[in-house]
Amino acid sequence: MDRYVENDYALVYFHQGLTSENKPSLNWLWQAYRGFDRKYKKNLKDLFIVHPTSFVRIVLQLSKPLLSVKFGRKIHYITQID
């Protein structure tokens, strides 16, 4: 992935269709965020969350103190695809 993140990029996360059996845990998501080197976060321009549930929105809102302000501005919710 290194060669892809050397330039600006966007990440799309599809939340639709997840169940308790196949969705990542909060701990896993937090560890994934912390595990990414600065270069991955630096060149990420947008994180699109498609079909977010209320739970996802609440968790991200509660996580704001733990996330950088710059990263928080990169998050966009897409509720409908036309």
Side-chain angles (χ1 to χ4, degrees), residues 14-27:
F14 289 90
H15 194 72
Q16 179 67 30
L18 292 180
T19 64
S20 59
E21 292 88 35
N22 66 1
K23 72 178 175 183
S25 69
L26 295 176
N27 186 47

Side-chain angles (χ1 to χ4, degrees), residues 3-30:
R3 72 175 195 205
Y4 296 110
V5 300
E6 290 174 357
N7 300 311
D8 294 348
Y9 71 100
L11 185 63
V12 180
Y13 171 70
F14 289 90
H15 194 72
Q16 179 67 30
L18 292 180
T19 64
S20 59
E21 292 88 35
N22 66 1
K23 72 178 175 183
S25 69
L26 295 176
N27 186 47
W28 185 90
L29 291 172
W30 178 245

Side-chain angles (χ1 to χ4, degrees), residues 43-80:
N43 289 336
L44 176 68
K45 294 306 172 194
D46 295 292
L47 169 60
F48 297 100
I49 302 175
V50 181
H51 298 299
T53 59
S54 298
F55 178 73
V56 169
R57 291 175 184 253
I58 290 169
V59 166
L60 285 172
Q61 190 66 28
L62 292 173
S63 300
K64 280 202 173 188
L66 304 172
L67 302 174
S68 72
V69 174
K70 285 184 180 181
F71 185 79
R73 285 188 289 223
K74 297 176 184 183
I75 300 172
H76 307 282
Y77 299 110
I78 309 296
T79 57
Q80 182 176 341

